[in-house]
Amino acid sequence: QVQLVESGGGLVQAGGSLRLSCAASGSIFSIGPMGWHRQAPGKQRELVATITSRGNTNYVDSVKGRFTISRDNAKNTVYLQMNSLNAEDTAVYYCNANSLRRSALAVGMDYWGKGTLVTVSS
């Protein structure tokens, strides 16, 4: 069984930094793009950043220049370095893994973590 577990969330003051981690565990052959999403109270979930297995990245405009997504393919882990945090970044952050294959012949499936809460105090 595959699991994605996020860590690194917490309470931080405006202007501060946090680093989120998300580790995929279980029987894993390969993972396609990985990403971070967030859902603020009363709002829809939004895509924050994505990274391909080759390291190509994309960001939502609101975090460009402040957040950096990275991954360690050997560890099946994706990271999100968040700098210059502000109150609008307060949300539950979820990671996801796309096209995760459990064997060479398996069909790729998408998996989600349960989320980690980031609270930015102003």
Side-chain angles (χ1 to χ4, degrees):
Q1 185 173 356
V2 173
Q3 286 187 319
L4 269 62
V5 179
E6 301 100 334
S7 61
L11 175 64
V12 63
Q13 289 186 335
S17 299
L18 281 176
R19 188 188 193 214
L20 305 183
S21 300
C22 173
S25 63
S27 177
I28 299 172
F29 175 75
S30 66
I31 305 176
M34 301 182 77
W36 288 94
H37 302 243
R38 66 186 180 186
Q39 187 165 19
K43 295 187 177 181
Q44 291 187 333
R45 188 175 299 189
E46 67 168 350
L47 175 63
V48 176
T50 60
I51 184 168
T52 68
S53 58
R54 295 185 177 185
N56 296 317
T57 59
N58 276 295
Y59 300 89
V60 67
D61 286 345
S62 61
V63 308
K64 285 181 179 178
R66 301 188 299 122
F67 290 11
T68 302
I69 188 171
S70 61
R71 69 190 278 175
D72 185 332
N73 292 328
K75 295 181 179 180
N76 293 325
T77 299
V78 64
Y79 306 94
L80 186 68
Q81 177 67 43
M82 306 185 294
N83 299 327
S84 302
L85 286 160
N86 57 59
E88 294 180 346
D89 297 316
T90 295
V92 178
Y93 284 72
Y94 300 89
C95 75
N96 82 302
N98 297 307
S99 301
L100 188 153
R101 296 197 296 166
R102 300 183 66 183
S103 70
L105 299 179
V107 174
M109 297 181 64
D110 296 345
Y111 292 85
W112 288 85
K114 294 183 178 180
T116 184
L117 177 63
V118 172
T119 304
V120 183
S121 62
S122 56

